[in-house]
Amino acid sequence: MKLQEFQGKQVFADAGIPVPPSKLASTVDEAVDAANDIGYPVAIKAQVQVGGRGKAGGIKLVDDAEEAREAAEAIIGMDLKGIPVERVLVEGAVDFVNELYVGVTMDRGEGEPVVMVSTKGGVDIEQVAEEEPDAIVREHVDPVYGMHPYQARKAVYDAGVERDVAGDVAKIVQTVYELWDESDASEVEINPVMVTSDREVVAADAVMKIDEDAMFRQPKFAEMEDEANAGGDELERKADEYGFDYVRLDGNVGIIGNGAGLVMTTLDLVDHYGGKPANFLDIGGGAKAERVTNALDMVFSDENVDSVVFNIFGGITRGDEVARGINEALEQFDEIPKPVVVRLAGTNWEEGMEILNEDLVEVEKTLEDAVQQAVANAKEVSQE
């Protein structure tokens, strides 16, 4: 479960991390009143679970009530990457001179949590990691003992944080790790931590993702779940309803598989062959008609998807049963809205390939061929 920004900042504030004054608003008048109460300048920020809000027009800095009204009218009700904006966070603007990054997640390769600190905050940290990997300091933590204060200080100094604010940043780093540990979080991130002209440090953003499997022992976050999901991605809500593992991406090749490993392999191959994945969609064990229909309903509902590739492995559910499920699912559509490519492997895959209705789908024997065909289909559709 990913918290909304306003929820994450409340958690940060309760833990002692400095955050700007802010108020939540769901109408234009509420936003203007909040801005007047906080005092100008303020930032008006769309509260939706998407990245790149600023570039998409979902964050505006305003200097007076007239600008606040114009910004609120523009943001509330706007469609931000397919999600309608229903609420905004009105927040006091920060007069900053530097932006830092602080985050913690699990390093599965090392089998330990890793704390990350960088002076390259305020930008896409994944891009920084790719282009300037040395700009991010990583400090692994033994989960048995937790993060020692000297580790937080070491990470901050190694990152090159200025000495007069290094102590305050180290306290934030320590608190972020403790929140990650105590909250059963998969990720906690502040991007950016702003250093103000008065040499104070403030969390200008808040990302917290809580492991849903641990929600039974996190009643505080369980109570936040409905509000955290409000205004979220409709497709992600459908995935929860259908019991799928789903992540929406920004490409145009829809991916459906029955196993996380199969889906990840397919996703990597789409990228390898010059395409861009539109999603990660794992429909789980088996591929009966109902589950296939639900999966197709999801990818067909995604306006970004131009083609679909199935990567299905017949195990407990045999390949011929999978093929019948795909046929039954596609036959329910009056018209197939997007080209579908299928690759079967595993138990009875040859029988399944023969059963597949090639009037409805394109059939490929290898995963590489299936992915290349799906990428080609997507390029063809996008050029029409």
Side-chain angles (χ1 to χ4, degrees):
M1 178 189 76
K2 182 179 180 181
L3 299 186
Q4 296 275 0
E5 178 189 6
F6 72 90
Q7 294 175 311
K9 282 187 172 168
Q10 185 59 58
V11 174
F12 285 180
D14 291 344
I17 296 175
V19 298
S22 63
K23 291 187 177 182
L24 193 65
S26 55
T27 69
V28 173
D29 287 341
E30 287 179 1
V32 175
D33 289 343
N36 290 336
D37 290 343
I38 292 170
Y40 297 95
V42 300
I44 298 181
K45 309 169 79 173
Q47 294 300 283
V48 291
Q49 302 279 29
V50 300
R53 290 175 299 166
K55 292 180 180 179
I59 299 176
K60 295 183 182 294
L61 189 66
V62 300
D63 293 317
D64 55 44
E66 182 178 351
E67 290 183 4
R69 182 169 296 277
E70 291 176 357
E73 288 175 345
I75 294 173
I76 296 175
M78 76 181 295
D79 185 282
L80 199 59
K81 297 187 178 182
I83 302 175
V85 177
E86 298 176 352
R87 298 176 295 184
V88 293
L89 187 66
V90 182
E91 183 174 85
V94 179
D95 181 16
F96 68 94
V97 294
N98 201 2
E99 295 177 290
L100 314 174
Y101 169 88
V102 172
V104 57
T105 189
M106 176 60 75
D107 185 338
R108 300 193 182 279
E110 295 294 328
E112 290 183 332
V114 59
V115 172
M116 296 168 287
V117 181
S118 177
T119 56
K120 301 285 186 179
V123 296
D124 185 346
I125 198 65
E126 286 79 10
Q127 183 177 347
V128 174
E130 182 177 343
E131 297 178 357
E132 300 179 74
D134 292 340
I136 303 173
V137 170
R138 297 167 175 83
E139 184 74 21
H140 287 86
V141 179
D142 187 329
V144 174
Y145 299 104
M147 188 172 203
H148 298 292
Y150 82 84
Q151 290 181 289
R153 294 193 297 269
K154 179 178 182 295
V156 168
Y157 286 121
D158 287 350
V161 175
E162 294 172 303
R163 285 184 174 272
D164 63 332
V165 295
D168 290 336
V169 176
K171 290 179 183 177
I172 290 179
V173 171
Q174 184 82 35
T175 304
V176 165
Y177 177 81
E178 290 169 356
L179 282 173
W180 178 89
D181 184 39
E182 296 166 1
S183 304
D184 287 307
S186 60
E187 178 183 349
V188 181
E189 181 180 79
I190 309 175
N191 189 20
V193 174
M194 287 183 169
V195 179
T196 73
S197 55
D198 295 328
R199 310 308 289 170
E200 296 178 348
V201 290
V202 180
D205 195 15
V207 173
M208 283 195 74
K209 297 179 182 177
I210 311 301
D211 187 341
E212 292 191 356
D213 291 334
M215 206 64 74
F216 70 94
R217 62 185 186 189
Q218 295 291 342
K220 177 176 73 173
F221 294 111
E223 291 176 359
M224 296 181 181
E225 189 166 16
D226 288 344
E227 195 165 28
N229 293 333
D233 192 315
E234 178 63 28
L235 292 177
E236 291 183 356
R237 286 200 290 269
K238 280 188 176 183
D240 288 339
E241 177 186 337
Y242 294 149
F244 297 154
D245 288 328
Y246 172 82
V247 179
R248 191 174 190 177
L249 303 173
D250 59 0
N252 64 344
V253 179
I255 297 170
I256 301 173
N258 64 335
L262 287 175
V263 179
M264 284 301 300
T265 299
T266 312
L267 188 149
D268 288 342
L269 282 173
V270 167
D271 183 71
H272 175 74
Y273 287 117
K276 295 192 68 176
N279 63 269
F280 173 104
L281 178 52
D282 175 12
I283 63 177
K288 299 292 187 181
E290 181 180 4
R291 291 187 71 77
V292 174
T293 301
N294 291 340
L296 286 168
D297 173 51
M298 289 188 60
V299 293
F300 287 166
S301 298
D302 187 344
E303 295 180 357
N304 293 330
V305 170
D306 291 325
S307 74
V308 181
V309 57
F310 271 93
N311 183 14
I312 302 293
F313 184 86
I316 297 173
T317 303
R318 303 190 314 268
D320 53 332
E321 293 178 348
V322 172
R324 291 190 182 93
I326 292 173
N327 286 345
E328 290 176 23
L330 290 170
E331 286 165 0
Q332 296 180 39
F333 293 91
D334 294 331
E335 181 179 350
I336 309 301
K338 293 156 187 179
V340 178
V341 183
V342 178
R343 174 262 190 177
L344 294 178
T347 307
N348 287 8
W349 72 271
E350 292 176 320
E351 292 88 336
M353 298 286 268
E354 293 176 1
I355 290 170
L356 285 168
N357 185 344
E358 295 191 39
D359 290 333
L360 303 176
V361 300
E362 297 175 75
V363 178
E364 297 291 348
K365 289 185 178 181
T366 70
L367 177 57
E368 289 80 1
D369 289 342
V371 168
Q372 289 183 75
Q373 185 59 53
V375 170
N377 289 343
K379 290 179 179 178
E380 184 177 341
V381 171
S382 64
Q383 292 172 358
E384 290 179 354

